[in-house]
Amino acid sequence: MLLAWDTSTDEVTLALVDDDRVIGERRGHGARRHAEVLTPLISELLAEAGAHGPDLSALVVGVGPGAYTGLRVGLVTAQTLAWTWGVEAVGACSLDAVAVRTVAQHASACTDGVRVVADARRGQVFAATYDASGRLRSGPVVGDPASLCASDVPVVGSAVLRYPQACASTLPDDSHAAPQAAWLARGVVAGLIGRRGLVPLYLRQPDVTMGAGAKPVLQPGRSS
């Protein structure tokens, strides 16, 4: 069994998957409180299924791109539990889950592929392009909606709802949902989603940066 979760957006999603069968799922709203939401949901999901951490074959965790705080919480939790339970933990691009789900549910519309665009805030979007099977073709990248939402293949993802004029889509509204852990796990099992290290895909620098160092008057050895 695989235990998967994604914390790249304000919505925390979890799934317990055995091969291609979803045993159970959990969702929670984690805006600025991912740490409070994630761990209890993991405990609830395992308890409901009668499963135990050491019995899992692996953990699959979304590495973004997405919110800094959410990604840090998801990855630190994965590293901690993998060490505690003695199981493997692998990362997976969160946008890949949206692509795999879209191709599985709307195959006839995705014969030439699909592009996933997610709201990156600050007037930007994250984007990646996939082939007709849902495998990553290019990206992910970050940039302005006007350039990244323009595509000759169907466009899906949260940015379609955020920027409807730039990201016009012919697919149903449910195609633009946040990444779902069940599809992340299914994609990894099927070999459609590449395994990554537990390294966050930030794609841009954080708003807060480290200072340049101590001021001269505070440096050791200088008189006041």
Side-chain angles (χ1 to χ4, degrees):
M1 289 186 293
L2 295 177
L3 176 62
W5 61 80
D6 187 89
T7 56
S8 64
T9 69
D10 288 346
E11 183 179 13
V12 177
T13 68
L14 295 90
L16 191 61
V17 176
D18 189 8
D19 290 328
D20 192 42
R21 183 171 64 93
V22 178
I23 298 174
E25 294 183 85
R26 283 289 189 279
R27 293 185 186 183
H29 192 67
R32 299 184 181 179
R33 50 190 296 270
H34 294 79
E36 301 172 36
V37 172
L38 178 58
T39 303
L41 290 180
I42 292 174
S43 298
E44 290 176 12
L45 184 56
L46 291 177
E48 180 185 73
H52 303 280
D55 299 329
L56 298 172
S57 58
L59 306 178
V60 178
V61 186
V63 299
Y68 295 98
T69 300
L71 292 180
R72 285 196 297 270
V73 169
L75 291 172
V76 169
T77 302
Q79 292 168 335
T80 302
L81 293 181
W83 181 82
T84 302
W85 292 337
V87 300
E88 179 187 18
V90 300
C93 176
S94 301
L95 301 183
D96 292 6
V98 180
V100 171
R101 176 177 184 259
T102 301
V103 168
Q105 297 181 343
H106 306 285
S108 62
C110 302
T111 54
D112 294 323
V114 63
R115 176 169 293 181
V116 178
V117 288
D119 183 14
R121 302 177 183 176
R122 299 193 223 164
Q124 294 183 312
V125 301
F126 300 121
T129 304
Y130 299 81
D131 65 19
S133 68
R135 287 187 174 88
L136 182 65
R137 181 183 293 165
S138 64
V141 295
V142 63
D144 66 280
S147 60
L148 293 182
C149 290
S151 174
D152 55 0
V153 297
V155 179
V156 297
S158 61
V160 174
L161 305 179
R162 179 70 175 84
Y163 302 101
Q165 293 182 329
C167 304
S169 178
T170 57
L171 293 177
D173 286 348
D174 63 0
S175 302
H176 313 309
Q180 296 178 15
W183 289 101
L184 202 66
R186 282 174 162 175
V188 169
V189 170
L192 297 172
I193 295 180
R195 298 184 175 212
R196 298 171 178 257
L198 298 182
V199 180
L201 282 171
Y202 286 144
L203 299 188
R204 64 186 180 197
Q205 294 298 312
D207 292 327
V208 179
T209 57
M210 297 297 293
K215 295 181 180 179
V217 294
L218 299 178
Q219 292 176 350
R222 289 187 63 94
S223 60
S224 57

